[in-house]
Amino acid sequence: MATFFGEVLSVFSRAVEDEDGEELVEDEEDEQIRRELEEKREVHLHWNSEVSESLQSGNKLQCSDFILAVGHNAASFLSVYVLTSSSWETVGHVSVWNERTKASTGQSSKESACVFHRNKDDPSVLICQVFCYIADDQLFQWTEKVFACLQHRGLNVTVLSDCSVTDYMTADHLCTSSAPFLRSLHTGVFSGRTACPSLEQPNIITGLSASVLNHCQVYRIAAVVYQCYSDVNGPDSVSMETFKPALAKLGKSIQLDSSPSTDVLRKSVQTTDIKSNLYI
Amino acid sequence: MSRGSNAGFDRHITIFSPEGRLYQVEYAFKAISQNGVTSVGVCGKDSVAVVTQKKIPEKLLDSSTVTNMFKLTPRIGCVMTGHSADSRSQVHRARVEAGEWKYKFGYDITADVLCRRLADISQVYTQNAEMRPLGCCMIMVSVDPQQVPVLYKCDPAGYYCGFRAIAVGAKQTEANNYLEKKLKKKPDLTEDRTVQVKSTIWHCQQMSLSSITVKKTTTIVLNGPWSNSTPSQSSGLKDKVKGLLLEEWVVAVALGKELWVLFYTAF
């Protein structure tokens, strides 16, 4: 099937004979497993005491800039270039479990998979790093719960995310030789200029970035997503550097470390677990 | 395109990268999940069952000619997940190996030996520069009069192992997780329980927003008496299964002392 944009999708016939089949009668054991898994897959937000007190008394987090980094390169970019200075404190984390979140050598505990940081000098800037994979059924929960804690007025959201250049569709095949590169998408109320060209059709953004962008568009929050298309699968320092122009606009509130320490860089590009039994 | 610590050529052929990885073989694993199909196999104490999905990409296609379940010997069957052309090549090779064994030694090859042979062949593809690894994974099932039913998986890396239950394909992580929980509770599966592999598939459908939409699922209940059925009763079995079976599933069941491969296709 060819879509409006000219891409060819393989779709599967849903021609079914609608017989009067029985509904699945699950036995108790299956139900119990399903319930346990559903409970485990719930997304939970944990804030530090100061923030949770303020939230409980009904005040949302006063935030003018929310920066979300989805994916290893984006999140490590923030770790290496922004969070090395001492003016950032951890204010909370999200615990999210799905079948793909196995404890890898990089992350020692669940807390480090999805963390919130706030600038002590300028508490209106909030950073969130998401290292872990968030499953399709958890995206909505994550977005709703996080944005329920932030006040929407005057909020600017910047999302940094990774993608593989093999997913990038373009008529000009030579442009992929310039990988890694940035592309952006923003909501209707976003008024600034983006640091890179807009994402061309028929490419789309998926996952947590899409969920957040969607939420912001619906609730009329100014948001922009910067997607980095990288030719290397896995953490890579050159791809991380590509994000620099995205945060340059926020220069007042976010100081980018011009010469990151090699130790931090090395730790962040350590190979994550390889999902196959090839090396058993 | 070559950045990082390699000169790029190790991504094109199977030689080691500086970190000791074989990129081509890793990519072969990704190729298995490309078409979005998941297969699940469960082994009990007296039977073994595998279930897979069937994708019918066009309405004009004659679905009875499409299958990814194959019989290798009278006692060994398999389900292939991944590239269908590579799958057929591997099945053909398996049949040739089984035939040669029978010719040389005068008795049927057993599943573990056949699986090891295929795994050895897959390993060669991870070394030879001229042959790429196959983008498919085989789940092999067998019952033998002298042995218990077995379930083996053989993957492009040349790794093979026997399993009590295994899932391969796009949703394998979720399915394996579910199977682990299921087997923890009931470690010894009898015949009717092995076919509760359907609950795993149903669970995967609920969990994921996969590209196939399956409207309903049914319980496949196979009770004890059929394990001793003669072939003349097989048509009755087929009818019973037909009444219960979900569209798009193809089920193969190894029952009792003989391997019956029921190629039930629902369209």
Side-chain angles (χ1 to χ4, degrees):
Chain A
M1 164 184 128
T3 67
F4 176 71
F5 306 120
E7 64 182 305
V8 177
L9 293 176
S10 58
V11 287
F12 303 103
S13 167
R14 294 187 285 184
V16 290
E17 287 168 29
D18 228 348
E19 297 155 7
D20 292 344
E22 315 157 9
E23 279 306 313
L24 175 77
V25 172
E26 262 194 323
D27 62 9
E28 232 179 75
E29 188 187 294
D30 289 334
E31 253 187 64
Q32 195 194 0
I33 297 182
R34 190 184 317 287
R35 248 180 292 128
E36 276 171 19
L37 281 173
E38 263 174 32
E39 277 165 19
K40 262 181 113 172
R41 291 174 80 96
E42 283 250 338
V43 176
H44 295 285
L45 246 60
H46 305 276
W47 295 105
N48 68 5
S49 45
E50 183 201 322
V51 174
S52 17
E53 267 172 36
S54 138
L55 285 172
Q56 265 163 16
S57 59
N59 301 326
K60 298 198 179 181
L61 267 177
Q62 297 300 312
C63 183
S64 65
D65 285 291
F66 178 48
I67 296 145
L68 172 65
V70 183
H72 210 277
N73 279 328
S76 302
F77 163 73
L78 289 182
S79 296
V80 170
Y81 287 88
V82 177
L83 294 170
T84 40
S85 85
S86 53
S87 58
W88 293 91
E89 53 168 358
T90 307
V91 292
H93 67 270
V94 181
S95 60
V96 53
W97 178 89
N98 53 61
E99 286 86 354
R100 298 191 196 195
T101 54
K102 294 233 160 85
S104 59
T105 48
Q107 270 76 55
S108 49
S109 65
K110 274 195 283 202
E111 280 81 25
S112 59
C114 182
V115 198
F116 289 92
H117 303 272
R118 192 168 59 175
N119 196 334
K120 287 185 226 166
D121 307 324
D122 184 8
S124 67
V125 180
L126 189 67
I127 282 186
C128 178
Q129 296 172 296
V130 179
F131 285 98
C132 59
Y133 172 75
I134 300 194
D136 297 336
D137 55 317
Q138 294 170 318
L139 292 176
F140 180 72
Q141 263 193 69
W142 193 101
T143 313
E144 290 289 305
K145 289 194 174 171
V146 169
F147 278 82
C149 299
L150 306 176
Q151 57 88 27
H152 292 180
R153 192 192 299 269
L155 176 63
N156 292 296
V157 178
T158 309
V159 183
L160 309 175
S161 79
D162 306 332
C163 193
S164 170
V165 77
T166 51
D167 294 330
Y168 183 68
M169 292 178 267
T170 172
D172 172 22
H173 70 280
L174 288 174
C175 98
T176 54
S177 58
S178 57
F181 54 86
L182 275 187
R183 288 290 184 268
S184 67
L185 263 189
H186 59 81
T187 55
V189 296
F190 178 81
S191 53
R193 277 185 47 208
T194 55
C196 65
S198 273
L199 188 63
E200 303 89 346
Q201 288 182 352
N203 296 292
I204 57 173
I205 289 188
T206 57
L208 187 57
S209 332
S211 177
V212 167
L213 198 65
N214 191 45
H215 181 98
C216 293
Q217 175 71 1
V218 169
Y219 287 93
R220 308 178 75 76
I221 301 173
V224 59
V225 172
Y226 289 102
Q227 181 128 297
C228 171
Y229 287 94
S230 167
D231 52 350
V232 175
N233 294 331
D236 165 53
S237 52
V238 179
S239 304
M240 285 185 219
E241 277 181 11
T242 329
F243 284 112
K244 275 190 189 166
L247 290 193
K249 310 267 165 182
L250 295 159
K252 299 185 303 285
S253 13
I254 304 230
Q255 297 298 324
L256 283 179
D257 190 355
S258 50
S259 52
S261 99
T262 38
D263 274 340
V264 183
L265 255 178
R266 197 177 304 132
K267 248 190 280 193
S268 61
V269 297
Q270 257 166 14
T271 320
T272 46
D273 60 336
I274 303 160
K275 294 178 189 56
S276 82
N277 54 10
L278 178 54
Y279 304 108
I280 291 180
Chain B
M1 191 275 251
S2 47
R3 281 194 301 108
S5 52
N6 55 60
F9 51 84
D10 50 357
R11 293 175 186 273
H12 301 297
I13 51 177
T14 47
I15 62 178
F16 285 112
S17 77
E19 307 99 47
R21 293 166 64 173
L22 292 168
Y23 283 109
Q24 272 302 302
V25 185
E26 289 179 29
Y27 299 159
F29 277 90
K30 297 204 177 146
I32 297 174
S33 319
Q34 264 308 311
N35 54 0
V37 164
T38 311
S39 310
V40 179
V42 177
C43 185
K45 66 177 201 279
D46 53 7
S47 58
V48 55
V50 283
V51 177
T52 186
Q53 297 173 262
K54 185 153 88 163
K55 299 262 173 143
I56 310 292
E58 297 161 48
K59 289 191 188 173
L60 293 175
L61 205 144
D62 180 0
S63 62
S64 64
T65 61
V66 174
T67 180
N68 49 358
M69 289 214 184
F70 305 93
K71 185 156 131 175
L72 303 178
T73 72
R75 297 204 194 289
I76 308 177
C78 71
V79 61
M80 303 299 299
T81 319
H83 281 182
S84 48
D86 286 359
S87 306
R88 283 199 320 276
S89 163
Q90 191 163 43
V91 164
H92 177 72
R93 188 61 194 269
R95 287 172 174 162
V96 164
E97 294 290 329
E100 280 179 5
W101 178 281
K102 175 84 189 217
Y103 178 72
K104 266 196 270 186
F105 302 112
Y107 68 97
D108 282 328
I109 195 171
T110 52
D112 54 330
V113 174
L114 181 58
C115 201
R116 188 188 321 140
R117 184 76 193 112
L118 291 177
D120 289 346
I121 295 165
S122 300
Q123 187 276 332
V124 173
Y125 297 158
T126 70
Q127 268 189 287
N128 263 0
E130 69 205 12
M131 301 277 274
R132 62 163 175 83
L134 295 175
C136 59
C137 186
M138 176 188 280
I139 299 178
M140 198 183 278
V141 294
S142 167
V143 280
D144 191 287
Q146 276 105 31
Q147 291 170 14
V148 293
V150 290
L151 175 74
Y152 279 93
K153 180 184 83 152
C154 172
D155 63 26
Y159 178 79
Y160 84 101
C161 194
F163 287 89
R164 293 188 296 146
I166 188 65
V168 166
K171 297 289 162 203
Q172 67 186 41
T173 332
E174 288 82 0
N176 279 328
N177 188 270
Y178 190 88
L179 284 169
E180 275 170 34
K181 292 187 157 34
K182 189 93 182 171
L183 256 67
K184 214 164 37 171
K185 294 183 190 275
K186 285 256 167 28
D188 207 12
L189 302 175
T190 55
E191 190 176 306
D192 58 347
R193 289 206 155 271
T194 56
V195 200
Q196 288 189 14
V197 74
K198 51 90 186 156
S199 63
T200 316
I201 304 284
W202 194 61
H203 171 75
C204 291
Q205 284 156 226
Q206 302 303 305
M207 295 309 297
S208 69
L209 308 173
S210 64
S211 60
I212 60 149
T213 48
V214 183
K215 296 199 177 51
K216 55 191 178 189
T217 186
T218 55
T219 309
I220 307 161
V221 177
L222 293 175
N223 295 312
W226 294 355
S227 62
N228 295 320
S229 314
T230 60
S232 63
Q233 290 172 331
S234 65
S235 56
L237 173 61
K238 251 193 199 164
D239 289 336
K240 189 116 187 184
V241 173
K242 182 175 179 176
L244 298 172
L245 197 60
L246 173 68
E247 303 85 353
E248 298 182 13
W249 299 124
V250 175
V251 178
V253 179
L255 293 175
K257 307 248 182 309
E258 277 182 22
L259 175 71
W260 289 352
V261 185
L262 283 182
F263 290 117
Y264 187 71
T265 61
F267 278 87

